[in-house]
Structures are given as structure tokens and as C-alpha cells.
Amino acid sequence: MRKILATILLLVSAFGTQAQNSCPPGYNEFMLNIVPDSWPYETTWDLKDINGSLIASGGSVGDTICIDAAACYVFTIHDSYGDGIYAPGGYWVYVDGVQVAHGYNYSFQETVTINCPAGSYCNSPAPLSYGSFWTSFDESWYSFTPDSAGTYRLSTCDSNSCNTQLWVYTSCPPLPYTEGPMGSYTYNDDFCGT
């Protein structure tokens, strides 16, 4: 009996080891689980790096890959009909065993950034408060929650030597982001010149 119990414990131990991250040092395990609804052919997904290069993609089946731990990635799940995945189905994204996203009723698409610097994408904005700001990105995203009702001035006119534009959104636009006022609450391009 002890021999059988020892064998079972070894098997459980071996499976537990396989379930852990099997990526080399400097890489994280990206795991996507998808439970499709009755229309699995509507579901596709992709994983891209910060430059838009495709890293991985698929249909209504998930995947597990190793990703650079120091890089920024953008995961997007799509639904061609525009109704997402009906519950109890859905998708789950894990990085090194930690859940970073979950969803199901997302209309045409839902985007999740992984390990991206604040402000680099709409769904990972940098907090905006009173004062002056400088950015490292061509397009920087900020989130502002006023502390009281009133009129607020957002400007790039005072001490700026490069061409800037302001776009105000009430929710994130779909990727890829397009130039122009489409979908914005309000915008300003060249009100005060370059």
C-alpha cells in the first residue's frame, strides 16, 4: 500500500511541476484560456508587441507561450458578430499564473495591455492632476477625475515647441487608434498654432 501511495504522490508532484512556468529566465508564461459559446467561429484573438508586430494569434482555442518579461504586449480578443462570448463562456488571460484579464460580453473586441508603461495605451492611462506634464510617447493617454464640478482648462499652448493635439474620450476607442475626431468627446488641433 505504501508503494502505491508513494507512486501516486510522485505523479501528483510531477504534474504540479509541469503546471508551473516552463519559460526560460527573463520570460513570462502567457496563458490564454477560452471557453467558447455556441458560435466559436466568431472568436479570434491576437497578441502584439508595442510596435504592433504580431507575436501570436488564434481562433476560439487558447494558447500558452513565453513572452519577454521586460516587453509591453497588447492582447485583443475579437468577435465578428459583435456580441462577445456568451456566459458561462469567456476568456481568461494569465501571466505567470496571475490572472490579468477576464471577460465575455465585450461587443466586437476587448483589449488588454500587459506590462506596458502607464500612458502608452488608453486602457493603461497615466493619472493626470494639476500641473505640467511631459511625455515619452507620440500618443500619451491620461485619466483625469475632477475633485469638484467646474470648468477645467487643458492646454498645450503655454511653453510647448512641438505640434500637439488634445483628444478627450469618455471611453477607450478601439485599436488601432485612428487620427481624427471620430469617437472623441471633444478635440483640439492647432488652436494655438504649432
Side-chain angles (χ1 to χ4, degrees):
M1 184 68 165
R2 286 186 183 172
K3 188 174 185 179
I4 293 173
L5 183 58
T7 303
I8 290 171
L9 288 175
L10 285 174
L11 285 172
V12 169
S13 176
F15 284 121
T17 303
Q18 290 174 349
Q20 293 175 359
N21 184 347
S22 58
C23 295
Y27 285 83
N28 291 331
E29 181 182 72
F30 169 89
M31 184 171 68
L32 169 63
N33 290 333
I34 297 177
V35 176
D37 58 17
S38 298
W39 300 273
Y41 53 86
E42 295 174 357
T43 303
T44 59
W45 62 271
D46 56 67
L47 181 68
K48 297 180 179 179
D49 66 15
I50 195 167
N51 300 315
S53 298
L54 185 65
I55 304 301
S57 63
S60 61
V61 177
D63 201 353
T64 301
I65 62 170
C66 294
I67 58 174
D68 186 340
C72 164
Y73 294 94
V74 180
F75 166 78
T76 306
I77 189 160
H78 309 270
D79 186 88
S80 62
Y81 190 74
D83 60 357
I85 300 173
Y86 280 111
Y91 74 91
W92 293 260
V93 176
Y94 300 89
V95 176
D96 275 353
V98 176
Q99 182 178 313
V100 296
H102 163 64
Y104 53 93
N105 188 14
Y106 51 84
S107 72
F108 285 100
Q109 74 177 27
E110 191 160 87
T111 300
V112 177
T113 55
I114 300 167
N115 199 33
C116 296
S120 58
Y121 285 95
C122 181
N123 61 351
S124 60
L128 184 65
S129 58
Y130 302 102
S132 299
F133 295 87
W134 289 264
T135 181
S136 303
F137 309 109
D138 288 341
E139 294 182 356
S140 293
W141 296 86
Y142 296 94
S143 174
F144 176 68
T145 304
D147 58 5
S148 59
T151 302
Y152 293 85
R153 179 176 183 254
L154 302 174
S155 176
T156 62
C157 296
D158 300 333
S159 76
N160 190 19
S161 60
C162 62
N163 185 19
T164 60
Q165 303 168 357
L166 291 174
W167 308 91
V168 178
Y169 295 92
T170 56
S171 61
C172 288
L175 285 171
Y177 301 135
T178 56
E179 295 290 328
M182 187 65 76
S184 66
Y185 176 74
T186 187
Y187 68 97
N188 179 13
D189 181 12
D190 293 332
F191 175 77
C192 57
T194 300

